Amino acid sequence: MTRILITNDDGVFSEGIKLLAEALEPLAEVTVVAPDREQSASGHSLTLHRPLRMRQIEERTFSVDGTPTDCVNLAVGWLMKDAPPDLVVSGINFGSNLGEDVTYSGTVSATFEAMLLGIPSLALSQEVSEHFSFEPAARAARTIVEILLGADLAADLLLNVNIPAAPISGVRVTKLGRRTYSQSVVEKKDPHGRRYFWIAGTPEWDAEEGTDIYAVTQGQVSITPLHLDLTDYRGLESYDWLTAKLGGLAGGR
Ligand code: MN
């Protein structure tokens, strides 16, 4: 029996996760474990300083009062302990997860956790447009998962998939793009005259060819393979000047 664990960061009652579960149910035994409320931009956050509660909503659907990372942990480490999932699928997120934004993304972080637990995973995000629909992403999810389940997958496979709002013109394996404009801070005053802030702003992107953002702007499904090694490999030797200067630390107390 092939088993799929589905989670997300938009919450267990979101439309995207419901359509994803429906799309994958013909392919495998699907278990849904997802946050009880929206956890978008929760990143790879793990809850360690308070107890977590899991609630059964339907036969194979459970909510957790925590983050997507908590959900994957509780599912793999407890609920599905004796019959672990063959694949973890996170989404379908309402909105793209492109470029450096994957570090904020709860959707993608759920798959980071799957990777740490040794389970291949897939994150799915649907670009938002005026006439929004999860349907293109749900269709793509079914096709991609069907292919993946028939393949010999590496345990650390993580594919970050973004589906364009425009009609799909193709599929591209991409690298992460870069944001050229980050959030701005909006300052306001409360009724007591005290300052408060909103982190806001519309991101702008460097649409370099070969990136996830470029593919999505071209109407292509973007598939970015990710890993968790954040080391800068452009040349560890380029830091020799630093180790030379720090030589005095040796033998220090
Ligand atoms: Mn979200």
Side-chain angles (χ1 to χ4, degrees):
M1 168 71 82
T2 306
R3 286 174 297 272
I4 295 176
L5 168 64
I6 291 181
T7 190
N8 75 350
D9 74 359
D10 292 340
V12 72
F13 297 112
S14 71
E15 194 191 349
I17 200 168
K18 193 166 157 266
L19 291 178
L20 178 61
E22 281 171 18
L24 301 188
E25 255 149 22
L27 304 178
E29 183 185 83
V30 169
T31 303
V32 176
V33 182
D36 64 356
R37 68 199 77 180
E38 168 142 16
Q39 292 282 345
S40 291
S42 61
H44 196 181
S45 174
L46 184 64
T47 303
L48 295 177
H49 301 292
R50 63 169 176 85
L52 289 164
R53 307 268 182 192
M54 184 185 279
R55 192 161 72 93
Q56 187 164 22
I57 291 167
E58 283 170 32
E59 197 195 337
R60 311 201 64 82
T61 302
F62 301 80
S63 73
V64 173
D65 61 345
T67 65
T69 299
D70 297 330
C71 292
V72 173
N73 270 287
L74 264 60
V76 174
W78 184 76
L79 184 67
M80 304 176 76
K81 198 168 195 251
D82 299 326
D86 302 284
L87 186 70
V88 173
V89 185
S90 182
I92 304 165
N93 189 59
F94 179 76
S96 307
N97 276 303
L98 300 163
E100 295 101 334
D101 279 359
V102 300
T103 62
Y104 302 113
S105 169
T107 307
V108 177
S109 292
T111 58
F112 287 156
E113 198 61 18
M115 176 184 272
L116 294 180
L117 294 168
I119 302 165
S121 62
L122 187 67
L124 292 154
S125 304
Q126 172 71 58
E127 187 186 19
V128 174
S129 66
E130 207 180 328
H131 305 289
F132 181 82
S133 169
F134 282 112
E135 288 298 337
R139 270 199 309 278
R142 179 174 169 154
T143 306
I144 294 167
V145 168
E146 194 162 18
I147 292 165
L148 291 182
L149 290 179
D152 189 15
L153 302 181
D156 62 355
L157 177 86
L158 192 180
L159 301 178
N160 182 39
V161 180
N162 281 277
I163 290 89
I168 293 172
S169 65
V171 179
R172 281 282 285 276
V173 174
T174 57
K175 63 178 182 178
L176 290 180
R178 301 192 71 171
R179 260 214 311 221
T180 54
Y181 170 84
S182 58
Q183 296 94 333
S184 61
V185 174
V186 178
E187 181 188 336
K188 301 269 188 191
K189 288 266 170 64
D190 73 13
H192 307 288
R194 290 175 304 212
R195 257 195 292 276
Y196 68 94
F197 303 95
W198 282 101
I199 293 173
T202 310
E204 283 169 26
W205 299 93
D206 176 5
E208 186 196 335
E209 196 170 349
T211 61
D212 51 1
I213 180 67
Y214 180 80
V216 169
T217 57
Q218 299 299 305
Q220 296 171 326
V221 173
S222 166
I223 302 181
T224 310
L226 298 178
H227 58 64
L228 262 178
D229 182 351
L230 299 179
T231 309
D232 178 3
Y233 283 105
R234 281 174 294 187
L236 297 181
E237 62 285 354
S238 70
Y239 294 90
D240 286 351
W241 66 272
L242 182 61
T243 47
K245 283 187 188 288
L246 289 172
L249 285 179
R253 296 173 60 89

